[in-house]
Amino acid sequence: MIVHFSKNEYKGEPALKNVLVISGYKPFELGIFKRDHPSVTYIKGAIKKSLLPKVEEGLEWVLISGQLGVELWAAEVVFELQLEYPELKLAVITPFLEQEASWKEDNKEWYESVLMQADFVESVTKKGYEKPWQFRLKNQFFIEKSQGMLLLYDQEKEGSPKYLYELAVQYKKNHEYQIELITFYDLQVIVEEEQLKQADF
C-alpha cells in the first residue's frame, strides 16, 4: 500500500506544496562512526546554510526517510530552526516498517528521538523489509511529493545517495524540480569559514 496524504486519513499531513526532500550519505560512507564526530558540526552547518533561505521564503515541510547520517542530522537542524520558525515541519516517511530493527542500540535511540519530535511519521509500504523495490518506491514517492531536493552528494564519491540523485535528474527532464547538491568542496568552505570565525576570537 502506498501512503497518500489525504485530509480524511491523517491530521496534520504535509500539504503538497513547499516540500523539500533532504538526504545524503550514511555515516560510514563519510568515515563517521560517532554522533559527536567533529565533521557532523560542519555537515549540519552546510545543511542549515542551504535550508535557511528556503525557510525564509516559505518552505513548510522537510521530508526525510529517517536513514542514519545526513537525514537524521538534517532533522536536528530542522528542530533547531523550529525554535525560530515554528511553521517549519518535519515529515519522516520510511520505506518500510521497523527499518531500525537491526541497528545498534544508540542509533535506535537517536532515530526514535527524531520520530518523537517529528510532525508527521508514516511508511510508504505498510510492512517490514522485503526487497530493494521498497527503496525505489520510496525514492519515487519522495520526488513526486516534493518540489525539490537538498542532497549531500558528490558525484566523485558514489554511494547510497546516487540512486535518489539519478532518479531526480530523470524526473527533472519532464517536471519543474530543484536539485541542490552539497559537495565536499562546499563542506570544505564551511570548515574554512568556521576556522576563520574562531581565529577572530
Side-chain angles (χ1 to χ4, degrees):
M1 179 191 165
I2 298 175
V3 177
H4 296 284
F5 298 140
S6 73
K7 287 281 176 225
N8 310 333
E9 230 175 320
Y10 305 113
K11 291 187 171 76
E13 74 291 342
L16 296 185
K17 58 187 172 80
N18 296 332
V19 180
L20 177 76
V21 169
I22 303 185
S23 192
Y25 295 107
K26 294 173 179 158
F28 66 87
E29 293 178 299
L30 297 166
I32 295 173
F33 299 98
K34 286 185 179 164
R35 273 180 65 189
D36 58 357
H37 191 285
S39 301
V40 173
T41 308
Y42 300 120
I43 291 167
K44 286 168 76 170
I47 293 168
K48 190 172 185 177
K49 188 178 179 182
S50 295
L51 200 49
L52 197 52
K54 295 174 176 59
V55 175
E56 287 170 347
E57 286 163 17
L59 177 70
E60 292 174 16
W61 285 92
V62 166
L63 177 54
I64 63 170
S65 69
Q67 72 180 25
L68 294 169
V70 171
E71 293 195 10
L72 294 191
W73 295 323
E76 292 176 340
V77 172
V78 170
F79 300 147
E80 282 170 32
L81 288 173
Q82 282 176 334
L83 299 173
E84 204 176 327
Y85 301 93
E87 64 282 3
L88 179 65
K89 293 182 172 62
L90 177 74
V92 183
I93 300 184
T94 65
F96 44 83
L97 298 175
E98 296 178 356
Q99 68 173 342
E100 78 285 7
S102 61
W103 296 357
K104 291 181 180 164
E105 206 51 49
D106 56 341
N107 285 335
K108 281 185 186 175
E109 283 172 18
W110 180 23
Y111 174 71
E112 279 156 17
S113 75
V114 167
L115 292 189
M116 282 169 69
Q117 294 174 78
D119 299 282
F120 181 82
V121 178
E122 193 47 88
S123 275
V124 177
T125 59
K126 306 276 195 179
K127 46 181 138 187
Y129 177 71
E130 288 180 354
K131 291 194 172 143
W133 66 265
Q134 289 165 297
F135 290 107
R136 289 196 293 275
L137 189 64
K138 180 268 295 179
N139 289 346
Q140 188 74 42
F141 177 86
F142 271 35
I143 290 166
E144 288 173 1
K145 297 295 183 193
S146 62
Q147 286 70 53
M149 176 181 297
L150 176 61
L151 206 57
L152 174 56
Y153 178 60
D154 199 305
Q155 286 161 287
E156 293 184 9
K157 179 180 167 44
E158 286 200 347
S160 57
K162 172 187 160 184
Y163 303 102
L164 185 59
Y165 173 69
E166 288 179 351
L167 196 62
V169 169
Q170 279 299 111
Y171 185 78
K172 190 177 165 68
K173 288 177 183 172
N174 301 310
H175 303 82
E176 244 184 72
Y177 197 75
Q178 299 290 317
I179 303 170
E180 184 181 339
L181 296 182
I182 298 172
T183 64
F184 292 128
Y185 174 76
D186 298 322
L187 288 180
Q188 189 55 43
V189 169
I190 297 272
V191 170
E192 286 163 12
E193 283 173 0
E194 282 302 313
Q195 286 169 343
L196 276 174
K197 271 187 213 164
Q198 284 163 16
D200 289 342
F201 281 114

